[in-house]
Amino acid sequence: MPEVPAAAPRPVWRWVAGSVAVLTTVVLAWAGAWAGLTWADLSPEEVEAWHGLLKPRAGLLLLFALLLPLLLWAVVRPWVAAWPRAVRRLSEEVAVVTAAHAGHRVRSQGAAELRELAQAIDGLAQAHATLCAQVDARVAEARAELGAETRRLAALMSELTMGVLVCNRDGRVLLYNARATALLVGKGEGDPDASGRARANEGTPLGLGRTVGSLLDAGAVDHAWQQILRRHEQGAEHAVAHFVTALRGTGAAACDLLRLQMVPTLDDAGVPGGYVLLIDDVTHSVQEHGRREALLQQLTEGTRAALGNLRAAVQALHQYPAMDTGRRAGLTAVVHDEAERLARQLDAALSEPTGQPMTTWPLEDVQVGDLAWALQRDLRAGPGAIECAYDQQGADRWLVVDSYAVVQLLAQAARRLHALLDARDLAIEVAGPATAPRLELVWHGRPLEPGTLEAWERTALPLAPASAPLTGSPRPGPSVRDVLDRHGAEWWTASRSASGTVSPSVSGRVPGHGLGDGLGDGLGDALDARHRLCVQFGDAPPRRRAPAAGSSPPARGRPIAYDFDLFHQAGQTARLDETPLAALAYTVFDTETTGLRPTEGDEIIAVGAVRIVNGRLLEGERFDRRVRPRRAVRASAEAIHGISTASLAGEPPLEQVLPSFARFCEETVLVAHNAAFDMRFLDLARDRTGAVFDHSVLDTMLLSAAVLPGHRSNEHHLEQIAARLGVPVTGRHEALGDALTTARVFLKLLPLLAERGIRTLGEARMASQGVAQAHETY
């Protein structure tokens, strides 16, 4: 990638101008004093002679006095300016030694005194380097011990059959195992559905610092997290959430179902600071369960007639033992034929597929109080908040449901009631027996029109919130009818008018939707009625019970094995410009192109990138792709990076590579060396590829000039910065190699920026903008 020179340091004109002013004053004062003393010693005749000599030349003398400062400026400026420039450079060299590269040695080009000072500083630097080496040795020893523990932990996690994700409270991934990658992305070995998942989540990597909502339904994860926080506030000792969700990006035709257990991680104060997600693929088991149910249903319906004939024949033979031989033979033939028929039907049912198996969605035990609280929270969220009262009646009852889907169903219904009917005094009530509670949305106002609920059943639930969109269209949720059938539930409306008349009617698959015949009580009573939307769930007994609040803790607690520093990283929710540089996630990238003129048709032919998270370079999370261009590579460009047109013949086009790169860069700050060049190519490809790179961008060339302004403009090339900071250069003019070098340089620049008071992204951008750089015309 070509580089333009960075800005030269600001001139020291104040220092030079002050020096010239002082020298001019001294010269003029000396000349004036000499002239005055000489004039006083002259005789009258000599005075008259000098007067006649100087008077015609007064203008020339005045011109000389005016030109004297300029002459002194030209003579003094190089000598005077060299001193502060040498001092500034010496200061910058010392900063590199103390903050970035202890092995760097100071080089002074100033006066003898400055060279002696530089030698003394080199002695201190040598002592500093010795101390740093001793500290590094101790750190390496500690890292070796920690590495042994880490390898034991990695070996343990690699043997787990469940996927493991450790996240902070904002859903940022802090740790994951190979099984989690196989389940969520489909790149693991031994995963029978890997290819399907790879297609569903192509370009959506699982990596440290990324949000779990990019792969799972963010709404379902947040719903479980809020449930945990609520149970913790209630004093529950073991606040654990279970839920099932489809893998994000999959559709109804190929639905990967994941059962997740969310376990909070507590800080020293006992407050949930993050969570662990244990992930298991239940797609096969759920489909097998559905297939068995379909098989049983087929066998039941297909054998009913044969069983009836067998029963009738056997009863006749039993009741009439003395019947004649012909009738007995006929009944015996019936028994034989029907038995053969049953055998054939059973063989056919077992050998032939049953068609699309019915998917039985796993359900979890939820208390009614938690469900009502989640519904209230959902209705208050976002614009147009709706208040929904709940008096805690029946809060301790249990339901076996998919709590997230039920909350979305009830919230959608409540919002529609509020919008269509201007429903007032909305409330949640619980009715029915304890084994099968019934949830009711109660309101005052107008009733629902007949057929309304039937129309609502065909609409989809918003299970992919707009607050966390994916690249592309979000996955549509199941329909209301699907959710009701999943729970064996039914819903209907009922009204109690001001006169006390009750008018119920069932919706869904039973005729008579809405209020049905109950509208005959009069419009006045209907407008003043108290209406109910009732949802009745099946009466399946709960399979487990979570410990009640205040109950005794489990006999054996989970040991604390590790302390993750990433739990405490800041800036996840603050404004980006106010976020400390050390707390941001970065994508450091570089491109190679067919030439240097993007507006004349030159294109990107290679993209390389790595990620920095929590101040650590993640070399394992990299992006390295080549691109088949629409034009030939220029000979001048090929001489630099060595990539020929022929070598790119089998590579994918830019329309495939850049969208994948955009997904790799999600939720990060972009970093590049001479970033204006690379960003220009990315910007010109926006209309062609649809990939938008509107991230904040930092340029290591400008940052180097900002922290080392005493260095000349030609001293901020990537190789020179790397040598100054002690960074090895590998793979020069290869996209990934340059990205790795730039990433290491950027990490070395961070402490130098901090020494100059540049600690946030906004301050870094302002410092970069303040550097006067040379512009290249594209």
Side-chain angles (χ1 to χ4, degrees), residues 115-157:
R115 290 195 294 271
E116 292 177 2
L117 178 60
Q119 293 176 359
I121 292 174
D122 280 341
L124 291 176
Q126 182 62 42
H128 173 67
T130 302
L131 292 176
C132 288
Q134 295 174 357
V135 172
D136 290 342
R138 297 292 299 273
V139 171
E141 182 180 350
R143 283 181 176 174
E145 296 177 358
L146 180 61
E149 296 184 10
T150 303
R151 286 189 294 272
R152 286 193 289 269
L153 174 64
L156 175 64
M157 292 188 63

Side-chain angles (χ1 to χ4, degrees), residues 605-621:
I605 57 174
V607 182
V610 290
R611 300 181 67 237
I612 294 175
V613 178
N614 199 39
R616 186 162 62 95
L617 175 59
L618 306 179
E619 296 189 24
E621 297 185 15

Side-chain angles (χ1 to χ4, degrees), residues 587-592 604-611 621-627 657-658 661 664-665 670-672 678 734-740 742:
T587 297
V588 188
F589 76 102
D590 184 64
T591 63
E592 302 299 339
I604 295 172
I605 57 174
V607 182
V610 290
R611 300 181 67 237
E621 297 185 15
R622 56 179 62 184
F623 188 94
D624 187 16
R625 301 285 293 275
R626 288 192 174 187
V627 181
V657 174
L658 272 196
F661 180 55
F664 184 85
C665 298
L670 297 183
V671 179
D678 303 279
E734 296 177 1
L736 183 59
D738 284 350
L740 283 168
T742 303

Side-chain angles (χ1 to χ4, degrees), residues 327-529:
R327 290 185 178 182
R328 178 178 294 275
L331 291 175
T332 302
V334 169
V335 172
H336 179 271
D337 293 342
E338 294 298 338
E340 289 291 334
R341 177 184 172 190
L342 281 176
R344 288 192 301 271
Q345 289 179 348
L346 181 60
D347 291 339
L350 293 176
S351 60
E352 296 180 3
T354 58
Q356 182 67 27
M358 178 180 61
T359 299
T360 303
W361 196 278
L363 307 177
E364 303 293 337
D365 299 336
V366 180
Q367 279 192 309
V368 171
D370 291 339
L371 203 66
W373 173 85
L375 176 60
Q376 290 176 309
R377 174 180 170 274
D378 190 282
L379 291 175
R380 294 191 188 106
I386 301 174
E387 290 297 328
C388 186
Y390 176 55
D391 59 4
Q392 299 299 317
Q393 179 185 2
D396 57 348
R397 297 185 181 182
W398 291 87
L399 289 170
V400 184
V401 295
D402 176 357
S403 63
Y404 179 57
V406 170
V407 167
Q408 295 300 307
L409 183 150
L410 295 176
Q412 185 183 78
R415 290 190 174 95
R416 286 176 168 174
L417 290 172
H418 183 76
L420 296 177
L421 306 178
D422 192 23
R424 308 184 311 274
D425 303 328
L426 196 65
I428 309 168
E429 294 185 1
V430 182
T435 57
R438 182 174 68 250
L439 298 182
E440 298 182 350
L441 281 177
V442 184
W443 76 96
H444 285 92
R446 291 180 293 141
L448 280 176
E449 295 293 335
T452 303
L453 290 185
E454 184 181 22
W456 287 3
E457 290 177 0
R458 294 189 293 269
T459 61
L461 293 178
L463 296 189
S467 60
L470 284 172
T471 302
S473 302
R475 175 180 57 87
S479 68
V480 173
R481 186 71 255 171
D482 290 338
V483 174
L484 293 174
D485 291 343
R486 179 186 301 171
H487 295 83
E490 196 59 72
W491 66 347
W492 66 90
T493 56
S495 302
R496 184 180 295 275
S497 66
S499 60
T501 305
V502 178
S503 55
S505 62
V506 178
S507 72
R509 299 176 181 173
V510 180
H513 306 290
L515 290 177
D517 299 332
L519 294 173
D521 296 315
L523 181 60
D525 282 345
L527 294 177
D528 196 28

Side-chain angles (χ1 to χ4, degrees), residues 193-241:
D193 299 324
S195 60
R197 290 194 189 93
R199 287 190 298 272
N201 293 287
E202 183 179 0
T204 309
L206 173 62
L208 298 180
R210 298 190 182 278
T211 56
V212 70
S214 63
L215 292 166
L216 299 173
D217 194 314
V221 175
D222 181 67
H223 175 81
W225 174 241
Q226 295 301 326
Q227 292 280 9
I228 284 180
L229 293 180
R230 169 177 165 80
R231 293 170 191 169
H232 179 77
E233 292 174 357
Q234 293 175 338
E237 295 288 347
H238 194 55
V240 178

